[in-house]
Amino acid sequence: MSTGARDGNAMSVRRTAAPAKVTAVGALLLFCYFTAETFPASALPEIAGGLDTSEAAAGSLVSGCAAASALGVLPAMALARRLSPRTALVISAVLLALAQLALSAAPGLTWAVAARVVAALGHGVAFALVPVVAARVAPPGRTGRAMARTFVGVAAGLVGGGPAFGWLAQTVGWRPAAALLGAVALL
């Protein structure tokens, strides 16, 4: 997202990156994470059928992801602090992409839940770092605006992304929809 400055604090960020680009990339990453978080809820019958389990059991893909994100954010951020923000966010995006691809190939519920847990660990890092990085590269007096622009991705993922990928899951199947979301995360 931006260049990391190594001046004793791995979380420092130089103001050399284009703020508009940083906020757009950050918003896209948050869009992908919040779409991934809500996608299974909108495709529960399809996922349950594909994993040969009940809808109630498949619901653990939503609740398990939320719990893993809540429990994993502090340890994940402790590790992320040792990296530049850009590196931590790239790793977060790659984790999401790999987790979505693993979800799309899951032979059963256990594999699917494990994939969702992996995605959840990166989610906390992305949600914590994206607005901070946007604020740090913003011109003076524009930090709030830069942070707000990244949160457009959250709203778009919750309001549009989850339902859109749910529709896609009902139209072409949940596995291709999950894989496509993984591919989008790599953008």
Side-chain angles (χ1 to χ4, degrees):
M1 293 194 91
S2 65
T3 56
R6 291 294 185 163
D7 61 358
N9 179 0
M11 296 308 284
S12 65
V13 178
R14 287 186 247 153
R15 292 184 187 267
T16 58
K21 180 180 175 185
V22 170
T23 57
V25 170
L28 178 61
L29 182 56
L30 292 180
F31 167 82
C32 289
Y33 262 111
F34 279 84
T35 298
E37 183 177 339
T38 59
F39 156 67
S42 58
L44 214 49
E46 291 77 18
I47 293 172
L51 296 175
D52 195 31
T53 191
S54 69
E55 287 184 34
S60 66
L61 295 174
V62 178
S63 58
C65 180
S69 184
L71 295 173
V73 69
L74 293 178
M77 281 305 298
L79 291 173
R81 285 194 53 77
R82 297 178 182 174
L83 306 170
S84 73
R86 178 184 179 141
T87 301
L89 288 169
V90 167
I91 290 170
S92 175
V94 169
L95 279 177
L96 175 60
L98 293 175
Q100 284 301 119
L101 293 173
L103 175 64
S104 74
L109 185 61
T110 302
W111 180 282
V113 169
R116 298 282 293 162
V117 167
V118 169
L121 296 176
H123 184 160
V125 171
F127 193 65
L129 284 181
V130 165
V132 172
V133 170
R136 289 181 179 170
V137 300
R142 302 279 183 147
T143 57
R145 184 174 298 186
M147 291 172 69
R149 286 184 176 149
T150 66
F151 287 121
V152 168
V154 173
L158 291 173
V159 174
F165 275 84
W167 172 83
L168 192 60
Q170 294 166 6
T171 305
V172 300
W174 71 272
R175 292 179 189 275
L180 177 60
L181 185 54
V184 172
L186 290 177
L187 297 176

